[in-house]
Structure formats: structure tokens, C-alpha cells
Amino acid sequence: MTEQQYPIGTPGQPWGVEEKQHWLKQQSVKRSYFDDVVTQINRLHDQFDVEQYGALEYPNNTFPLFLLKTRNWDAAKPNVLVTGGVHGYETSGVHGALAFAKQHAEYYSQWFNILIAPCISPWGYETINRWNPFAIDPNRSFKENSPAGECAAIMDYIASHQLEFVMHIDLHETTDTDNSEFRPALAARDGKVNTNWNIPDGFYTVGNSEKPTPDFQKAIIDSVRQVTHIAPADDEGKIIGAPVEQEGVIHYAGKELGLCMGLTDAPYVSTTEVYPDSANASPEECIEAQVAAVKGALEYMRQL
């Protein structure tokens, strides 16, 4: 556990407009949302109803936002939501959502209407960033009158279509850059002192402490362990500072914190976390773990 300083701002003072502009000028495009994600979505028109649910008009680009809906939406079936790329830098979340769509969504549409938003934060995807251009973390901004356009767009779509969901799984990663970049930047932005946490080696889930579902989380963990290893607790019995509720499972307060898992009123929700920097996991394995997580969740829901 080490204290980290950040090169932007004055220690102890929250960032103002100047510091946020300084931070933004340091960001650069490292990959293409259009080449990597939109091209894959465009190939899925024969399998899904593809809808544009909004657009983010940022200074250097406009990013259309897409979702995939399984065909023959049936009011008699329960609705399921899969989201990825809320933190755009978390690559397997985006590509895991797309891989599930391509490989398995049609099969599970026998029992569920499935809505997939594979890349909530395309600017973050391109710049490999946790925040949006305004130094706002989308995964703390799923609240009324959200300051993040990424959140407002999907929230508005769900509200305008009066969609209710029985399950929502949100696909994330925990990476070494959480300690080297993003946590120090967060502390600097907020004028606080940062103390890094231990990065867990392996897969884990974050359940919603506001409505715990231990059997649901266990089904996800058991499905993923067939693909990759499950993160152990640290010496204090915690993962990223939160007590371990069961193997590979911690809890956060979804709606209170403005997390994507609190986006809907679904009774069954989970945030997945893989570790792409592990010496024991490849990027492909991380994508497979995300797919296994969604499948494990749906198999559990089928048995209810």
C-alpha cells in the first residue's frame, strides 16, 4: 500500500477548470472505436435489431452509441441487460459483450429478451481512459440529472421505453493502471491523499449490497472458474478494500454510489471484474471469462 502523488494540480486542492484542461490535453487517441467496435456491431444486423440510442458530441469527434436487441421481443419474457465499456479502457468488457452477442445471445433469447450495450464510453475506449473528457467517472454518475452524457444516454433510452429488467450484468476489469494512473488521478482531482489498494489477481464480482444475491453471484463465479482463476482475498480478507462475502464476491452500494449496476431496478445484478495484467491470463481468456460470466448468470436465471 503506497501513497502516490499525481503531476497535475496542487496537493490538497480539488481541480478547477485549468487542471481539468491540463489533464485533457495529455490524453490521446490510441485505438479506434469505429474500427474495433462499430464495425463488429454493423456485422450483427442480421442477428439483432441494432439501435442508435444517442450520440456523444465531443470536441474532436462525435460518437454514436449503439445497442443490440434480440429479435422478436416478447412481453411475456423477462428482460435482461448486458453492459460493457462503462470504463472504456476496460477492454474485455467491450469485447466480452460483443462476443456474447455473437456467440450466445440468440440461444438465450428463447427465454429472455436481451438488450446489450457493448460500449457505453467510446471516448474512454479510444483514449484508454476511465473518465470522460470532463474528468467525470461514468461509473459514479448513474444518477438523476447525470453529469456524464454516457450515463444520461442509456438512462434516457431505458426510461423512454419504460423497460424493466430482471437481470443486469455489467462487464469490467481491474488493471494495474488503477494504481499507476487512475486512483492517483482521482485523488488529485478531488484534493485528497491517495493510498493504493492491492490489485487482485483473478476474476471477482461486485454484488449490490442494497439487494444481495449470493446464489446468483456464486453461479457466475462457478461458471467463470471453468475459464480462469478466481481472485483470492488479501491478508485482511478483502478485495479492493471491500470485505469478501464469499469466494470472489464483494459488495458495493449500487444506486447510492451511482454505479452502472444501479442503472435499473433489476433484482439480480452483478459487476464483473477480470484482471488482464495477470501472468496467468491472456486478453482472450479475459474475454472468455466475461462471456462465461454472462452465461452463468443466465443459466441461474433459467432455473428460477
Side-chain angles (χ1 to χ4, degrees), residues 51-238:
E51 294 187 25
Q52 182 176 339
Y53 65 90
L56 299 169
E57 297 184 2
Y58 287 149
N60 295 325
N61 213 337
T62 297
F63 297 97
L65 300 167
F66 296 103
L67 51 79
L68 307 167
K69 291 177 64 177
T70 49
R71 292 276 169 81
N72 303 315
W73 202 265
D74 184 350
K77 296 177 184 176
N79 300 333
V80 166
L81 176 63
V82 179
T83 49
V86 172
H87 288 146
Y89 75 104
E90 296 172 4
T91 306
S92 71
V94 176
H95 292 284
L98 289 168
F100 169 76
K102 288 183 283 188
Q103 298 167 13
H104 304 288
E106 283 187 292
Y107 171 74
Y108 285 103
S109 68
Q110 298 175 72
W111 303 283
F112 305 98
N113 302 312
I114 304 174
L115 186 70
I116 304 170
C119 192
I120 298 284
S121 299
W123 183 87
Y125 180 88
E126 290 207 333
T127 60
I128 310 183
N129 220 295
R130 186 180 184 90
W131 293 343
N132 73 11
F134 306 105
I136 295 171
D137 185 343
N139 206 36
R140 295 297 184 275
S141 304
F142 285 91
K143 298 181 178 181
E144 189 175 355
N145 300 316
S146 175
E150 293 83 354
C151 306
I154 190 70
M155 293 171 70
D156 289 348
Y157 178 88
I158 289 172
S160 65
H161 288 78
Q162 298 181 318
L163 293 173
E164 296 182 356
F165 294 91
V166 67
M167 187 197 102
H168 173 202
I169 188 164
D170 187 33
L171 310 181
H172 283 254
E173 294 181 344
T174 302
T175 72
D176 287 346
T177 53
D178 289 5
N179 274 352
S180 64
E181 171 62 25
F182 299 120
R183 285 179 61 78
L186 172 64
R189 186 198 68 183
D190 296 345
K192 298 179 179 179
V193 175
N194 177 59
T195 302
N196 281 340
W197 52 30
N198 295 315
I199 300 294
D201 186 349
F203 179 92
Y204 63 100
T205 70
V206 184
N208 191 349
S209 62
E210 297 159 347
K211 41 189 168 186
T213 51
D215 292 343
F216 176 65
Q217 306 300 329
K218 183 178 185 299
I220 296 171
I221 294 292
D222 287 344
S223 180
V224 172
R225 76 167 77 251
Q226 300 174 49
V227 174
T228 195
H229 57 293
I230 306 304
D234 63 19
D235 293 341
E236 297 180 349
K238 297 179 179 181

